[in-house]
Amino acid sequence: MTEVTLSQVVKKYGQHQAVHGIDLDIHDGEFVVLVGPSGCGKSTTLRMIAGLEDISGGEVAIGGRVVNDLPPRERNISMVFQNYALYPHMTVRENLGFSLRIAKQPEAEIAKAVDEAASILGLNELMDRKPAALSGGQRQRVAMGRAIVRHPDVFLFDEPLSNLDAKLRTQMRVEIKKLHQKVESTIIYVTHDQVEAMTLADRIVLMRDGHIVQVGTPLELFNTPVDTFVATFIGSPPMNLVDGVVRQGQITLDGGITVPVPVTAGALREGQAVKFGFRADNLMPVGHAVEDEGAVYELDLPVTLTEPLGTETLLFTKMAGGEVQAKMFNPRPVAPGEQLRFRLMLDKCHVFDATSGLAVRG
Amino acid sequence: MDRNQSHRNRRRALKALHFTGLFLTMMIICIPGLWIVLNSFRPTVEIMAKPAIWVPSFTLEHYRAMFAGAGEGGVPVFSYFRNSLIVSVTSTLIAILIGMSGGYAFARYRFKGKNGYFVGLMLFRAVPGVALSLPLFIVFAKAGIIDTHLGLILAYVAMNVPFTIWLTDGFFRQIPRELHEAAEIDGCTRWQAFWKVEFPVARSGVASAAIFAFLTSWNEFALASQLTRSVGSKTMPVGLLDFTAEFTINWGGMCALAVLMIVPALILTFIVQKHLIAGLTFGGVKG
Ligand SMILES: Nc1ncnc2c1ncn2[C@@H]1O[C@H](COP(=O)(O)OP(=O)(O)OP(=O)(O)O)[C@@H](O)[C@H]1O
Ligand SMILES: [Mg+2]
């Protein structure tokens, strides 16, 4: 049973505070992704869990044991680094077996564990090469192999895929997910890529400036973002946000368009300045929409730019003075400047307070 | 067609020029050494002849004389060689141990006044060794370690440590810190992580630092000539002075001893050459 618990964890570098009192409960066998923009403290948090960074305040517990003062080797964790950190003077086989050799396991057992890890990751052909003679993807695999031979309680990944090209990244993403299903260990995974977070995570922890902004399943974060930051960070393209004001139970957007308040938004004050948010998937040209129940608002918008993606086309339009993106399913060619009638799915819209950025929900 | 031809000619001409330049440079570097080796095998009259005799005759008389007894122009070669070896090897070992620790500390740890220390160490290199000979002489004389191996070793360690620190700091800095972090996560203590991962990776750097330290001590003359007196502690460079008399210099003998001095250094350099090159190009380590 290895749950990881962070309570009020703080990290200070001199005057600069990188992590501000984080609370987080990670269950046994859970795949948790820490995600957020660059410099938000993800790596720092992960490194405190690993024991590579001193904890300035609060407590980190692994498997119910407080590990604040334990060195990394006594935490029974594995870590995969962004630059792989393979031992350049050792062959792949030696790299994989290093931890077991340090633990003074019998050679026969080391060989067995190494071979097992190698076949899980398809490294059998490469066992006698040095890291310098491997491609990026192969190094990545060796780094993962080195992490799994030891059967640790917790796996830590720090942006393991960011040095790979797009195709390989997608492929390794799937492999990491499969690996998790196989080993069933707790995984804490750091990335700044929201797609990786969405696809891999059981639960996403979204961070900003050393704070946790929201914790939840990928769909929770996608469907009910707590503020505009989450709304624009999760999902691609980012959620459209349009300035508006509440007037008589309706939202008047800059430029005069008035839309009924979506059912999810309850507690609005008259005259409150808001940001009205909706995703490109919920603004679709009439006749090219995926059918969906619920309240619909129709409006005419000019198309300024198109980005055909195959099954759908991304349309850039102007709405209330800002640029918003819409999606056209079963696309037909659209010329820039063409005026189209759009359907806005009101049930899927969000309303945020303009000053605090927090979501307003009923 | 024509343009191609002229380009090719030009490239050939440039290449020829390049090689001529290299050849001249190498000649300037090598000829003194070569001259020493040649002279060690020539009769004294031929060495002194004016105009120079270009086609040498061959004799081992200088070597024979050198190894002969004290009365017949011989010098205690074996003692000098032993002294040189003891002093150079010991001082190199100590300098590497201290210098490597220092270099590692500079590369990996933050501490107060780090930059100041570093600049200070480098400044220390700027002081000419001879300038220290008098103060060192006085201090050593008071401490009673004039004319001992220990005295020379101390002086050489002090001379070599700053450079070793500077060189190894550069190597350790190149090793990504994730390497020792990975090792620590894999179950190593900090100490194990260093010896099992970082040291092997920086090996070529340490080897080149060691060669530099060794050659510096092996060839050092100015300090050694002040701090040593007797056969029991004189090193080979100082031993060369034995060939100077009041009015004459035995050039042949001096060259013969110089050859004996060069040979071990050459052999050693040759053995670690691979490391040295890897070290000097700083290409030896890659994460
Ligand atoms: N050794 C250090 N000394 C001082 N400040 C540091 C140190 N390491 C990190 N920081 C600061 O701590 C904050 C968080 O850094 P961290 O590396 O955790 O960011 P991150 O979320 O991993 O970003 P990225 O996605 O770019 O890797 C940053 O503002 C960074 O400048
Ligand atoms: Mg990071």
Side-chain angles (χ1 to χ4, degrees), chain B residues 117-192:
Chain B
Y117 276 122
F118 204 73
V119 173
L121 281 174
M122 291 308 110
L123 278 183
F124 185 78
R125 293 275 308 165
V127 179
V130 213
L132 295 173
S133 64
L134 187 63
L136 269 185
F137 184 85
I138 297 172
V139 172
F140 280 17
K142 290 238 152 98
I145 51 174
I146 285 289
D147 201 21
T148 60
H149 290 155
L150 178 66
L152 263 194
I153 290 171
L154 282 182
Y156 289 166
V157 166
M159 232 165 67
N160 282 323
V161 160
F163 186 66
T164 312
I165 288 184
W166 178 76
L167 203 63
T168 47
D169 165 72
F171 281 105
F172 286 124
R173 217 173 269 273
Q174 280 202 333
I175 302 177
R177 40 176 81 242
E178 283 86 356
L179 233 48
H180 83 246
E181 292 176 346
E184 281 182 76
I185 285 180
D186 273 348
C188 291
T189 60
R190 196 73 180 69
W191 183 250
Q192 280 177 312

Side-chain angles (χ1 to χ4, degrees), chain A residues 144-315:
Chain A
M144 282 188 2
R146 195 172 63 180
I148 62 173
V149 280
R150 250 171 359 120
H151 301 291
D153 294 334
V154 184
F155 284 98
L156 307 174
F157 289 83
D158 192 355
E159 310 212 15
L161 304 184
S162 58
N163 284 351
L164 302 178
D165 65 53
K167 196 168 171 200
L168 203 51
R169 202 177 309 162
T170 321
Q171 195 182 324
M172 290 305 291
R173 212 163 65 201
V174 177
E175 288 197 27
I176 290 179
K177 196 149 193 176
K178 279 187 189 152
L179 183 73
H180 180 233
Q181 287 169 355
K182 203 170 296 174
V183 298
E184 294 179 337
S185 304
T186 311
I187 294 187
I188 308 176
Y189 185 106
V190 163
T191 177
H192 60 257
D193 178 2
Q194 60 93 17
V195 179
E196 254 170 55
M198 292 289 283
T199 48
L200 286 173
D202 292 331
R203 250 180 345 144
I204 295 180
V205 178
L206 183 52
M207 294 181 63
R208 179 176 56 171
D209 297 338
H211 294 278
I212 291 181
V213 184
Q214 190 172 2
V215 182
T217 63
L219 286 181
E220 275 167 11
L221 264 69
F222 187 82
N223 291 329
T224 53
V226 295
D227 66 7
T228 51
F229 171 72
V230 182
T232 47
F233 195 90
I234 299 287
S236 171
M239 185 184 284
N240 299 304
L241 290 175
V242 184
D243 290 322
V245 180
V246 180
R247 295 245 183 283
Q248 296 151 4
Q250 304 235 335
I251 295 175
T252 307
L253 304 179
D254 293 2
I257 303 173
T258 302
V259 290
V261 171
V263 291
T264 49
L268 286 173
R269 278 178 287 107
E270 178 72 13
Q272 188 176 3
V274 295
K275 286 192 184 294
F276 180 69
F278 55 90
R279 298 197 182 272
D281 314 62
N282 300 319
L283 181 65
M284 297 163 285
V286 173
H288 296 273
V290 282
E291 278 323 307
D292 203 347
E293 280 114 62
V296 170
Y297 179 77
E298 293 201 357
L299 71 173
D300 292 311
L301 295 170
V303 176
T304 54
L305 193 76
T306 63
E307 264 186 7
L309 300 172
T311 49
E312 70 220 25
T313 293
L314 218 49
L315 303 176

